[in-house]
Amino acid sequence: MNKIVTSGKTIEDAVKQGLAKLGTTEDKVAVNVLEQPSKGFLGLIGVREAKVELTLLEPPTPAPEPASVPSSNRTPSVPHSSASVVEEKSAGGEKDPYAEAASFIREVGENMGLDVKVEVSHSKDHTVLNISGQDLGLMIGRRGQTLDALQYLANIIANRYSDSFIRIVLDAENFRERRKKTLEDLAVRLAGRVVRTRKEVTLEPMSPQERKVIHSKLQDHPEVKTYSKGEEPNRRVVITLKHSK
């Protein structure tokens, strides 16, 4: 079995299920998103799970050399590209992992009926792929869930073409910074509630990146502290008093 279609509540869940069934790792498969997840009308009617197709990548196989050709006139064999690879390597060398990730994002946008552009910006610790265009709400999703799923897949694709680990952050319409500001304001507001009521507050489940924003914002607060509880994907931040009275 070298190809499988799996479903899950999110694209990441569907990919994980497929990897488990194939008994392999992310760097050894090609991922094709067949259906985006949808919560349906009012989050109740017409719920649709994410559906992905995983195809095992086969190592390049060198072409056999004709036995009748003398060694002095023999032409070096050229490896055949795997059928799962969308494009062949350029004559100048390896593919650019960032260009491949950006191409994937543009293709997803096209499948959603969107005309998007992707700008690549490098920094010391990571590379940002910034999406621009009209009606990007579909690619961002509720509280950035779709954007996070696309970021996960973009990292898989980019690292497939890189000899060393690279980290990609996917952004659209400055969503990451706006979401960070929203979470920081929420942290301050809830910390004030904890101080007033003397009762701890448990937030809704968040991604590790969003939990980190809450922890960082309140780490120097004089009266409250934070910690996380629960298991992924339902892990939550708790804000409580440093010293009970």
Side-chain angles (χ1 to χ4, degrees), residues 21-195:
K21 290 182 179 180
L22 290 173
T24 187
T25 54
E26 298 170 2
D27 60 330
K28 297 180 181 178
V29 298
V31 179
N32 181 25
V33 180
L34 302 178
E35 290 184 8
Q36 293 286 336
S38 172
K39 291 192 175 182
F41 180 65
L42 297 180
L44 299 173
I45 302 173
V47 176
R48 184 178 67 193
E49 291 189 331
K51 182 182 292 185
V52 300
E53 179 185 72
L54 273 63
T55 305
L56 284 173
L57 298 176
E58 298 179 359
T61 303
E65 298 179 353
S68 59
V69 178
S71 58
S72 59
N73 298 324
R74 190 173 297 162
T75 302
S77 61
V78 179
H80 293 296
S81 298
S82 168
S84 299
V85 179
V86 178
E87 301 175 3
E88 294 182 351
K89 293 179 180 178
S90 64
E94 301 290 331
K95 289 183 178 180
D96 181 348
Y98 304 106
E100 293 299 316
S103 177
F104 163 73
I105 298 301
R106 286 192 296 269
E107 183 178 349
V108 171
E110 183 179 345
N111 290 334
M112 289 181 170
L114 305 175
D115 182 15
V116 301
K117 296 181 180 179
V118 182
E119 180 181 352
V120 181
S121 176
H122 299 285
S123 67
K124 181 179 179 181
D125 300 323
H126 61 268
T127 295
V128 176
L129 299 187
N130 190 49
I131 308 171
S132 60
Q134 299 293 322
D135 302 321
L136 294 182
L138 282 174
M139 299 195 78
I140 295 174
R142 182 174 179 269
R143 294 176 181 168
Q145 291 178 342
T146 304
L147 194 66
D148 287 340
L150 291 173
Q151 176 176 286
Y152 172 79
L153 293 175
N155 273 280
I156 292 177
I157 291 170
N159 279 283
R160 185 180 298 151
Y161 297 100
S162 176
D163 293 332
S164 58
F165 178 77
I166 58 179
R167 177 172 172 252
I168 286 178
V169 174
L170 191 62
D171 201 0
E173 296 182 337
N174 203 31
F175 172 81
R176 299 295 184 190
E177 189 61 34
R178 289 187 288 111
R179 179 62 175 164
K180 179 182 178 183
K181 180 65 167 56
T182 297
L183 291 172
E184 288 178 338
D185 291 345
L186 175 67
V188 172
R189 188 169 67 253
L190 293 180
R193 181 194 299 178
V194 171
V195 172

